[in-house]
Amino acid sequence: MKVNLDLSVCQGYANCLAAAPEFFDIDDRGQAVLLKIVAETAEEQAAVLAAIPMCPVMAISVDEG
């Protein structure tokens, strides 16, 4: 699955980092950074899917396939 991060709405809450630290980080400006674009394993996919509802501004989405 491909991971998408909409930086135009990200507010830097860092909830994504708590859920999936291998995919997200926070930069010096306090905005999320996408570290990995593709979640390949079931564990990676589960972590990314867990991060989606944790984002209060819904900045994370995925493309299946």
Side-chain angles (χ1 to χ4, degrees):
M1 97 179 27
K2 182 180 177 225
V3 183
N4 303 303
L5 177 62
D6 186 350
L7 295 176
S8 70
V9 297
C10 176
Q11 297 294 309
Y13 290 100
N15 296 352
C16 55
L17 176 59
E22 62 276 11
F23 283 87
F24 303 99
D25 200 358
I26 300 296
D27 66 14
D28 294 337
R29 299 173 306 178
Q31 199 167 42
V33 176
L34 188 57
L35 301 174
K36 254 179 117 172
I37 297 172
V38 178
E40 296 177 3
T41 68
E43 289 137 357
E44 288 179 340
Q45 292 174 5
V48 170
L49 291 174
I52 292 172
M54 293 180 72
C55 180
V57 295
M58 300 306 295
I60 306 164
S61 63
V62 295
D63 294 325
E64 300 285 339

Tab-separated table of all heavy atoms in Angstrom:
chain	number	residue	atom	x	y	z
A	1	MET	N	0.841	-1.178	0.000
A	1	MET	CA	0.000	0.000	0.000
A	1	MET	C	0.886	1.241	0.000
A	1	MET	O	1.943	1.252	0.622
A	1	MET	CB	-0.956	-0.048	1.192
A	1	MET	CG	-0.538	0.702	2.400
A	1	MET	SD	-1.638	0.716	3.852
A	1	MET	CE	-2.558	-0.740	3.792
A	2	LYS	N	0.450	2.260	-0.708
A	2	LYS	CA	1.176	3.525	-0.775
A	2	LYS	C	0.628	4.467	0.292
A	2	LYS	O	-0.583	4.615	0.440
A	2	LYS	CB	1.016	4.142	-2.155
A	2	LYS	CG	1.777	5.433	-2.297
A	2	LYS	CD	1.624	6.049	-3.681
A	2	LYS	CE	2.357	7.359	-3.699
A	2	LYS	NZ	1.608	8.416	-4.309
A	3	VAL	N	1.540	5.102	1.015
A	3	VAL	CA	1.171	6.014	2.094
A	3	VAL	C	1.230	7.446	1.577
A	3	VAL	O	2.191	7.844	0.909
A	3	VAL	CB	2.129	5.856	3.291
A	3	VAL	CG1	1.700	6.746	4.446
A	3	VAL	CG2	2.216	4.400	3.726
A	4	ASN	N	0.201	8.227	1.878
A	4	ASN	CA	0.139	9.638	1.474
A	4	ASN	C	0.042	10.521	2.713
A	4	ASN	O	-0.663	10.183	3.659
A	4	ASN	CB	-1.090	9.888	0.604
A	4	ASN	CG	-1.122	8.998	-0.610
A	4	ASN	OD1	-0.206	8.979	-1.413
A	4	ASN	ND2	-2.172	8.209	-0.727
A	5	LEU	N	0.737	11.636	2.671
A	5	LEU	CA	0.696	12.607	3.762
A	5	LEU	C	0.420	13.985	3.162
A	5	LEU	O	1.212	14.492	2.366
A	5	LEU	CB	2.028	12.607	4.513
A	5	LEU	CG	2.190	13.604	5.647
A	5	LEU	CD1	1.164	13.338	6.747
A	5	LEU	CD2	3.595	13.536	6.211
A	6	ASP	N	-0.700	14.572	3.523
A	6	ASP	CA	-1.098	15.883	2.998
A	6	ASP	C	-0.517	16.977	3.899
A	6	ASP	O	-1.072	17.302	4.949
A	6	ASP	CB	-2.622	15.978	2.936
A	6	ASP	CG	-3.104	17.251	2.277
A	6	ASP	OD1	-2.283	18.171	2.034
A	6	ASP	OD2	-4.314	17.338	2.008
A	7	LEU	N	0.600	17.532	3.484
A	7	LEU	CA	1.271	18.556	4.276
A	7	LEU	C	0.514	19.871	4.317
A	7	LEU	O	0.769	20.701	5.186
A	7	LEU	CB	2.687	18.771	3.756
A	7	LEU	CG	3.611	17.557	3.906
A	7	LEU	CD1	4.958	17.834	3.265
A	7	LEU	CD2	3.768	17.179	5.360
A	8	SER	N	-0.440	20.046	3.422
A	8	SER	CA	-1.217	21.289	3.435
A	8	SER	C	-2.183	21.343	4.614
A	8	SER	O	-2.653	22.417	4.978
A	8	SER	CB	-1.971	21.470	2.121
A	8	SER	OG	-3.029	20.535	2.001
A	9	VAL	N	-2.466	20.192	5.232
A	9	VAL	CA	-3.346	20.176	6.393
A	9	VAL	C	-2.647	19.735	7.680
A	9	VAL	O	-3.188	19.906	8.764
A	9	VAL	CB	-4.608	19.305	6.159
A	9	VAL	CG1	-5.448	19.862	5.038
A	9	VAL	CG2	-4.245	17.871	5.914
A	10	CYS	N	-1.453	19.188	7.573
A	10	CYS	CA	-0.727	18.700	8.753
A	10	CYS	C	-0.490	19.843	9.741
A	10	CYS	O	-0.067	20.927	9.364
A	10	CYS	CB	0.612	18.095	8.340
A	10	CYS	SG	1.621	17.565	9.732
A	11	GLN	N	-0.769	19.552	11.011
A	11	GLN	CA	-0.570	20.538	12.074
A	11	GLN	C	0.537	20.125	13.041
A	11	GLN	O	0.771	20.803	14.036
A	11	GLN	CB	-1.872	20.746	12.842
A	11	GLN	CG	-2.993	21.312	11.991
A	11	GLN	CD	-2.699	22.722	11.524
A	11	GLN	OE1	-2.359	23.585	12.315
A	11	GLN	NE2	-2.823	22.947	10.228
A	12	GLY	N	1.195	18.993	12.783
A	12	GLY	CA	2.319	18.569	13.605
A	12	GLY	C	1.947	17.998	14.956
A	12	GLY	O	2.710	18.122	15.917
A	13	TYR	N	0.805	17.352	15.072
A	13	TYR	CA	0.393	16.763	16.347
A	13	TYR	C	1.279	15.585	16.761
A	13	TYR	O	1.328	15.232	17.925
A	13	TYR	CB	-1.062	16.294	16.280
A	13	TYR	CG	-2.047	17.426	16.230
A	13	TYR	CD1	-2.624	17.827	15.026
A	13	TYR	CD2	-2.417	18.104	17.384
A	13	TYR	CE1	-3.536	18.864	14.977
A	13	TYR	CE2	-3.324	19.142	17.346
A	13	TYR	CZ	-3.877	19.520	16.144
A	13	TYR	OH	-4.777	20.552	16.092
A	14	ALA	N	1.946	14.952	15.808
A	14	ALA	CA	2.878	13.833	16.021
A	14	ALA	C	2.188	12.540	16.439
A	14	ALA	O	2.858	11.606	16.860
A	14	ALA	CB	3.972	14.202	17.009
A	15	ASN	N	0.886	12.458	16.325
A	15	ASN	CA	0.208	11.201	16.609
A	15	ASN	C	0.623	10.116	15.628
A	15	ASN	O	0.707	8.948	15.995
A	15	ASN	CB	-1.308	11.386	16.566
A	15	ASN	CG	-1.803	12.315	17.646
A	15	ASN	OD1	-1.064	12.722	18.524
A	15	ASN	ND2	-3.068	12.671	17.575
A	16	CYS	N	0.909	10.488	14.407
A	16	CYS	CA	1.359	9.532	13.399
A	16	CYS	C	2.699	8.918	13.802
A	16	CYS	O	2.925	7.713	13.633
A	16	CYS	CB	1.474	10.192	12.028
A	16	CYS	SG	2.531	11.661	11.982
A	17	LEU	N	3.559	9.732	14.344
A	17	LEU	CA	4.863	9.269	14.800
A	17	LEU	C	4.706	8.240	15.914
A	17	LEU	O	5.410	7.234	15.950
A	17	LEU	CB	5.707	10.455	15.273
A	17	LEU	CG	7.073	10.149	15.874
A	17	LEU	CD1	7.953	9.408	14.895
A	17	LEU	CD2	7.739	11.434	16.321
A	18	ALA	N	3.766	8.450	16.805
A	18	ALA	CA	3.527	7.500	17.890
A	18	ALA	C	3.022	6.161	17.352
A	18	ALA	O	3.389	5.110	17.863
A	18	ALA	CB	2.538	8.077	18.882
A	19	ALA	N	2.203	6.196	16.311
A	19	ALA	CA	1.609	4.978	15.762
A	19	ALA	C	2.535	4.230	14.807
A	19	ALA	O	2.554	3.003	14.795
A	19	ALA	CB	0.305	5.309	15.043
A	20	ALA	N	3.285	4.965	14.015
A	20	ALA	CA	4.115	4.339	12.979
A	20	ALA	C	5.443	5.089	12.822
A	20	ALA	O	5.670	5.786	11.835
A	20	ALA	CB	3.360	4.307	11.656
A	21	PRO	N	6.341	4.960	13.803
A	21	PRO	CA	7.596	5.723	13.762
A	21	PRO	C	8.516	5.373	12.594
A	21	PRO	O	9.364	6.176	12.228
A	21	PRO	CB	8.253	5.404	15.103
A	21	PRO	CG	7.637	4.128	15.550
A	21	PRO	CD	6.237	4.126	14.994
A	22	GLU	N	8.321	4.198	12.001
A	22	GLU	CA	9.136	3.853	10.839
A	22	GLU	C	8.676	4.573	9.579
A	22	GLU	O	9.393	4.609	8.583
A	22	GLU	CB	9.167	2.338	10.628
A	22	GLU	CG	7.823	1.718	10.336
A	22	GLU	CD	6.985	1.384	11.568
A	22	GLU	OE1	7.295	1.790	12.694
A	22	GLU	OE2	5.961	0.710	11.376
A	23	PHE	N	7.499	5.194	9.649
A	23	PHE	CA	6.957	5.908	8.492
A	23	PHE	C	6.923	7.418	8.665
A	23	PHE	O	6.956	8.145	7.672
A	23	PHE	CB	5.532	5.410	8.178
A	23	PHE	CG	5.539	4.098	7.478
A	23	PHE	CD1	5.560	2.916	8.199
A	23	PHE	CD2	5.567	4.019	6.097
A	23	PHE	CE1	5.599	1.690	7.566
A	23	PHE	CE2	5.608	2.807	5.445
A	23	PHE	CZ	5.628	1.635	6.185
A	24	PHE	N	6.837	7.895	9.887
A	24	PHE	CA	6.650	9.325	10.121
A	24	PHE	C	7.678	9.882	11.095
A	24	PHE	O	8.130	9.197	12.007
A	24	PHE	CB	5.247	9.597	10.675
A	24	PHE	CG	4.145	9.100	9.794
A	24	PHE	CD1	3.521	7.892	10.063
A	24	PHE	CD2	3.738	9.823	8.694
A	24	PHE	CE1	2.501	7.412	9.245
A	24	PHE	CE2	2.725	9.357	7.863
A	24	PHE	CZ	2.104	8.153	8.143
A	25	ASP	N	8.022	11.126	10.892
A	25	ASP	CA	8.868	11.873	11.817
A	25	ASP	C	8.343	13.303	11.822
A	25	ASP	O	7.459	13.648	11.042
A	25	ASP	CB	10.328	11.825	11.384
A	25	ASP	CG	11.300	12.134	12.505
A	25	ASP	OD1	10.852	12.420	13.638
A	25	ASP	OD2	12.519	12.103	12.263
A	26	ILE	N	8.898	14.128	12.680
A	26	ILE	CA	8.524	15.540	12.739
A	26	ILE	C	9.777	16.360	12.426
A	26	ILE	O	10.839	16.119	12.995
A	26	ILE	CB	7.986	15.913	14.143
A	26	ILE	CG1	6.751	15.078	14.481
A	26	ILE	CG2	7.675	17.402	14.239
A	26	ILE	CD1	5.559	15.312	13.584
A	27	ASP	N	9.640	17.334	11.527
A	27	ASP	CA	10.794	18.142	11.139
A	27	ASP	C	10.980	19.332	12.080
A	27	ASP	O	10.226	19.503	13.047
A	27	ASP	CB	10.701	18.590	9.679
A	27	ASP	CG	9.567	19.553	9.385
A	27	ASP	OD1	8.970	20.122	10.326
A	27	ASP	OD2	9.275	19.764	8.189
A	28	ASP	N	11.966	20.153	11.804
A	28	ASP	CA	12.291	21.303	12.646
A	28	ASP	C	11.184	22.352	12.687
A	28	ASP	O	11.134	23.166	13.605
A	28	ASP	CB	13.583	21.967	12.168
A	28	ASP	CG	14.789	21.068	12.351
A	28	ASP	OD1	14.734	20.154	13.210
A	28	ASP	OD2	15.789	21.265	11.638
A	29	ARG	N	10.304	22.333	11.697
A	29	ARG	CA	9.184	23.279	11.662
A	29	ARG	C	7.960	22.740	12.386
A	29	ARG	O	6.928	23.395	12.444
A	29	ARG	CB	8.812	23.599	10.219
A	29	ARG	CG	9.933	24.254	9.425
A	29	ARG	CD	9.558	24.370	7.982
A	29	ARG	NE	9.173	23.028	7.527
A	29	ARG	CZ	8.752	22.720	6.327
A	29	ARG	NH1	8.633	23.647	5.430
A	29	ARG	NH2	8.430	21.486	6.006
A	30	GLY	N	8.065	21.507	12.901
A	30	GLY	CA	6.948	20.907	13.609
A	30	GLY	C	5.928	20.249	12.713
A	30	GLY	O	4.799	20.020	13.113
A	31	GLN	N	6.319	19.931	11.494
A	31	GLN	CA	5.414	19.303	10.543
A	31	GLN	C	5.868	17.864	10.295
A	31	GLN	O	7.058	17.554	10.356
A	31	GLN	CB	5.405	20.069	9.225
A	31	GLN	CG	4.203	19.780	8.371
A	31	GLN	CD	4.077	20.780	7.237
A	31	GLN	OE1	5.045	21.139	6.596
A	31	GLN	NE2	2.868	21.218	6.979
A	32	ALA	N	4.913	16.981	10.044
A	32	ALA	CA	5.234	15.580	9.800
A	32	ALA	C	6.043	15.416	8.517
A	32	ALA	O	5.911	16.200	7.574
A	32	ALA	CB	3.959	14.752	9.722
A	33	VAL	N	6.873	14.394	8.531
A	33	VAL	CA	7.686	14.022	7.376
A	33	VAL	C	7.417	12.546	7.104
A	33	VAL	O	7.410	11.731	8.029
A	33	VAL	CB	9.193	14.216	7.677
A	33	VAL	CG1	10.044	13.730	6.525
A	33	VAL	CG2	9.495	15.653	8.014
A	34	LEU	N	7.202	12.204	5.863
A	34	LEU	CA	6.986	10.819	5.466
A	34	LEU	C	8.341	10.182	5.180
A	34	LEU	O	9.048	10.603	4.263
A	34	LEU	CB	6.078	10.769	4.241
A	34	LEU	CG	5.576	9.419	3.783
A	34	LEU	CD1	4.813	8.715	4.901
A	34	LEU	CD2	4.681	9.595	2.573
A	35	LEU	N	8.721	9.188	5.975
A	35	LEU	CA	10.018	8.541	5.843
A	35	LEU	C	10.010	7.394	4.834
A	35	LEU	O	11.018	7.114	4.202
A	35	LEU	CB	10.485	7.992	7.195
A	35	LEU	CG	10.629	9.007	8.323
A	35	LEU	CD1	10.951	8.286	9.629
A	35	LEU	CD2	11.703	10.024	7.983
A	36	LYS	N	8.883	6.733	4.721
A	36	LYS	CA	8.714	5.596	3.822
A	36	LYS	C	7.407	5.768	3.084
A	36	LYS	O	6.410	6.172	3.674
A	36	LYS	CB	8.627	4.308	4.640
A	36	LYS	CG	9.826	3.444	4.610
A	36	LYS	CD	9.607	2.227	5.493
A	36	LYS	CE	9.651	0.984	4.668
A	36	LYS	NZ	9.642	-0.235	5.498
A	37	ILE	N	7.393	5.446	1.806
A	37	ILE	CA	6.197	5.667	0.991
A	37	ILE	C	5.352	4.402	0.851
A	37	ILE	O	4.143	4.480	0.715
A	37	ILE	CB	6.584	6.216	-0.399
A	37	ILE	CG1	7.244	7.576	-0.224
A	37	ILE	CG2	5.390	6.309	-1.328
A	37	ILE	CD1	7.837	8.143	-1.481
A	38	VAL	N	5.988	3.241	0.901
A	38	VAL	CA	5.265	1.991	0.671
A	38	VAL	C	5.302	1.117	1.919
A	38	VAL	O	6.380	0.838	2.442
A	38	VAL	CB	5.859	1.228	-0.531
A	38	VAL	CG1	5.150	-0.094	-0.739
A	38	VAL	CG2	5.771	2.068	-1.797
A	39	ALA	N	4.127	0.705	2.377
A	39	ALA	CA	4.004	-0.252	3.476
A	39	ALA	C	3.856	-1.632	2.846
A	39	ALA	O	2.842	-1.922	2.212
A	39	ALA	CB	2.807	0.087	4.346
A	40	GLU	N	4.869	-2.453	3.000
A	40	GLU	CA	4.887	-3.743	2.311
A	40	GLU	C	4.393	-4.895	3.175
A	40	GLU	O	3.592	-5.703	2.716
A	40	GLU	CB	6.292	-4.029	1.811
A	40	GLU	CG	6.746	-3.020	0.764
A	40	GLU	CD	8.177	-3.244	0.308
A	40	GLU	OE1	8.813	-4.214	0.757
A	40	GLU	OE2	8.658	-2.438	-0.499
A	41	THR	N	4.859	-4.994	4.393
A	41	THR	CA	4.482	-6.131	5.236
A	41	THR	C	3.154	-5.865	5.934
A	41	THR	O	2.699	-4.723	6.031
A	41	THR	CB	5.560	-6.405	6.308
A	41	THR	OG1	5.571	-5.313	7.242
A	41	THR	CG2	6.941	-6.574	5.680
A	42	ALA	N	2.573	-6.935	6.448
A	42	ALA	CA	1.315	-6.805	7.182
A	42	ALA	C	1.505	-5.923	8.414
A	42	ALA	O	0.619	-5.143	8.760
A	42	ALA	CB	0.789	-8.182	7.578
A	43	GLU	N	2.654	-6.025	9.072
A	43	GLU	CA	2.925	-5.203	10.254
A	43	GLU	C	3.031	-3.732	9.896
A	43	GLU	O	2.509	-2.872	10.618
A	43	GLU	CB	4.200	-5.679	10.951
A	43	GLU	CG	4.028	-7.007	11.646
A	43	GLU	CD	5.210	-7.933	11.410
A	43	GLU	OE1	6.145	-7.567	10.662
A	43	GLU	OE2	5.191	-9.029	11.970
A	44	GLU	N	3.717	-3.434	8.795
A	44	GLU	CA	3.825	-2.039	8.351
A	44	GLU	C	2.458	-1.490	7.992
A	44	GLU	O	2.111	-0.364	8.357
A	44	GLU	CB	4.763	-1.937	7.149
A	44	GLU	CG	6.211	-2.142	7.474
A	44	GLU	CD	7.102	-2.059	6.249
A	44	GLU	OE1	6.618	-2.212	5.107
A	44	GLU	OE2	8.309	-1.836	6.436
A	45	GLN	N	1.671	-2.260	7.272
A	45	GLN	CA	0.340	-1.813	6.877
A	45	GLN	C	-0.538	-1.565	8.094
A	45	GLN	O	-1.264	-0.572	8.153
A	45	GLN	CB	-0.297	-2.832	5.935
A	45	GLN	CG	0.410	-2.895	4.599
A	45	GLN	CD	-0.096	-3.995	3.686
A	45	GLN	OE1	-1.051	-4.688	3.999
A	45	GLN	NE2	0.567	-4.159	2.553
A	46	ALA	N	-0.446	-2.449	9.081
A	46	ALA	CA	-1.240	-2.271	10.305
A	46	ALA	C	-0.840	-0.994	11.036
A	46	ALA	O	-1.700	-0.271	11.546
A	46	ALA	CB	-1.076	-3.485	11.209
A	47	ALA	N	0.453	-0.699	11.082
A	47	ALA	CA	0.920	0.512	11.757
A	47	ALA	C	0.407	1.763	11.052
A	47	ALA	O	-0.066	2.699	11.696
A	47	ALA	CB	2.449	0.524	11.822
A	48	VAL	N	0.488	1.777	9.731
A	48	VAL	CA	0.003	2.936	8.971
A	48	VAL	C	-1.507	3.085	9.125
A	48	VAL	O	-2.007	4.193	9.339
A	48	VAL	CB	0.402	2.821	7.483
A	48	VAL	CG1	-0.304	3.884	6.649
A	48	VAL	CG2	1.907	2.937	7.319
A	49	LEU	N	-2.231	1.987	9.045
A	49	LEU	CA	-3.686	2.045	9.207
A	49	LEU	C	-4.066	2.517	10.600
A	49	LEU	O	-5.082	3.203	10.765
A	49	LEU	CB	-4.312	0.688	8.886
A	49	LEU	CG	-4.245	0.276	7.409
A	49	LEU	CD1	-4.770	-1.142	7.228
A	49	LEU	CD2	-4.977	1.254	6.517
A	50	ALA	N	-3.269	2.185	11.596
A	50	ALA	CA	-3.526	2.662	12.958
A	50	ALA	C	-3.278	4.160	13.066
A	50	ALA	O	-3.923	4.855	13.857
A	50	ALA	CB	-2.651	1.913	13.947
A	51	ALA	N	-2.336	4.685	12.283
A	51	ALA	CA	-2.009	6.108	12.333
A	51	ALA	C	-3.101	6.981	11.716
A	51	ALA	O	-3.290	8.123	12.145
A	51	ALA	CB	-0.682	6.364	11.612
A	52	ILE	N	-3.817	6.464	10.752
A	52	ILE	CA	-4.817	7.273	10.035
A	52	ILE	C	-5.854	7.898	10.974
A	52	ILE	O	-6.029	9.114	10.967
A	52	ILE	CB	-5.480	6.465	8.907
A	52	ILE	CG1	-4.453	6.184	7.808
A	52	ILE	CG2	-6.696	7.197	8.342
A	52	ILE	CD1	-4.929	5.225	6.733
A	53	PRO	N	-6.549	7.121	11.803
A	53	PRO	CA	-7.560	7.746	12.667
A	53	PRO	C	-6.963	8.545	13.828
A	53	PRO	O	-7.674	9.325	14.464
A	53	PRO	CB	-8.379	6.559	13.182
A	53	PRO	CG	-7.451	5.403	13.099
A	53	PRO	CD	-6.578	5.675	11.908
A	54	MET	N	-5.678	8.380	14.076
A	54	MET	CA	-5.032	9.139	15.149
A	54	MET	C	-4.715	10.577	14.739
A	54	MET	O	-4.444	11.415	15.584
A	54	MET	CB	-3.759	8.425	15.593
A	54	MET	CG	-4.044	7.091	16.272
A	54	MET	SD	-2.553	6.245	16.792
A	54	MET	CE	-2.072	7.258	18.174
A	55	CYS	N	-4.744	10.848	13.439
A	55	CYS	CA	-4.456	12.200	12.951
A	55	CYS	C	-5.726	13.054	13.057
A	55	CYS	O	-6.707	12.793	12.359
A	55	CYS	CB	-3.980	12.149	11.505
A	55	CYS	SG	-3.612	13.785	10.838
A	56	PRO	N	-5.704	14.076	13.912
A	56	PRO	CA	-6.913	14.881	14.094
A	56	PRO	C	-7.330	15.687	12.874
A	56	PRO	O	-8.482	16.101	12.781
A	56	PRO	CB	-6.581	15.811	15.259
A	56	PRO	CG	-5.171	15.607	15.606
A	56	PRO	CD	-4.630	14.478	14.797
A	57	VAL	N	-6.407	15.899	11.931
A	57	VAL	CA	-6.753	16.676	10.737
A	57	VAL	C	-6.842	15.803	9.485
A	57	VAL	O	-6.976	16.311	8.378
A	57	VAL	CB	-5.758	17.852	10.522
A	57	VAL	CG1	-5.860	18.853	11.650
A	57	VAL	CG2	-4.345	17.340	10.354
A	58	MET	N	-6.764	14.481	9.676
A	58	MET	CA	-6.912	13.503	8.588
A	58	MET	C	-5.921	13.767	7.439
A	58	MET	O	-6.290	13.765	6.267
A	58	MET	CB	-8.344	13.488	8.073
A	58	MET	CG	-9.379	13.121	9.147
A	58	MET	SD	-9.071	11.566	10.002
A	58	MET	CE	-9.271	10.400	8.686
A	59	ALA	N	-4.673	13.972	7.789
A	59	ALA	CA	-3.635	14.261	6.794
A	59	ALA	C	-3.057	12.998	6.168
A	59	ALA	O	-2.295	13.093	5.208
A	59	ALA	CB	-2.509	15.085	7.426
A	60	ILE	N	-3.385	11.832	6.704
A	60	ILE	CA	-2.821	10.574	6.221
A	60	ILE	C	-3.873	9.805	5.447
A	60	ILE	O	-5.017	9.658	5.884
A	60	ILE	CB	-2.319	9.712	7.396
A	60	ILE	CG1	-1.348	10.482	8.259
A	60	ILE	CG2	-1.685	8.413	6.877
A	60	ILE	CD1	-1.105	9.857	9.615
A	61	SER	N	-3.461	9.262	4.301
A	61	SER	CA	-4.335	8.388	3.536
A	61	SER	C	-3.461	7.322	2.886
A	61	SER	O	-2.238	7.423	2.881
A	61	SER	CB	-5.116	9.166	2.469
A	61	SER	OG	-4.235	9.728	1.526
A	62	VAL	N	-4.099	6.291	2.338
A	62	VAL	CA	-3.364	5.227	1.655
A	62	VAL	C	-4.044	4.915	0.329
A	62	VAL	O	-5.249	5.132	0.171
A	62	VAL	CB	-3.260	3.944	2.511
A	62	VAL	CG1	-2.430	4.195	3.758
A	62	VAL	CG2	-4.607	3.384	2.855
A	63	ASP	N	-3.255	4.412	-0.585
A	63	ASP	CA	-3.745	3.879	-1.844
A	63	ASP	C	-3.467	2.388	-1.817
A	63	ASP	O	-2.310	1.978	-1.688
A	63	ASP	CB	-3.037	4.513	-3.042
A	63	ASP	CG	-3.331	5.988	-3.196
A	63	ASP	OD1	-4.454	6.408	-2.893
A	63	ASP	OD2	-2.419	6.723	-3.614
A	64	GLU	N	-4.507	1.592	-1.895
A	64	GLU	CA	-4.349	0.136	-1.901
A	64	GLU	C	-3.894	-0.316	-3.288
A	64	GLU	O	-4.233	0.285	-4.277
A	64	GLU	CB	-5.682	-0.531	-1.563
A	64	GLU	CG	-6.240	-0.166	-0.223
A	64	GLU	CD	-5.534	-0.823	0.950
A	64	GLU	OE1	-4.881	-1.854	0.755
A	64	GLU	OE2	-5.637	-0.285	2.062
A	65	GLY	N	-3.153	-1.405	-3.294
A	65	GLY	CA	-2.805	-1.979	-4.586
A	65	GLY	C	-1.392	-1.934	-4.970
A	65	GLY	O	-0.472	-1.447	-4.593
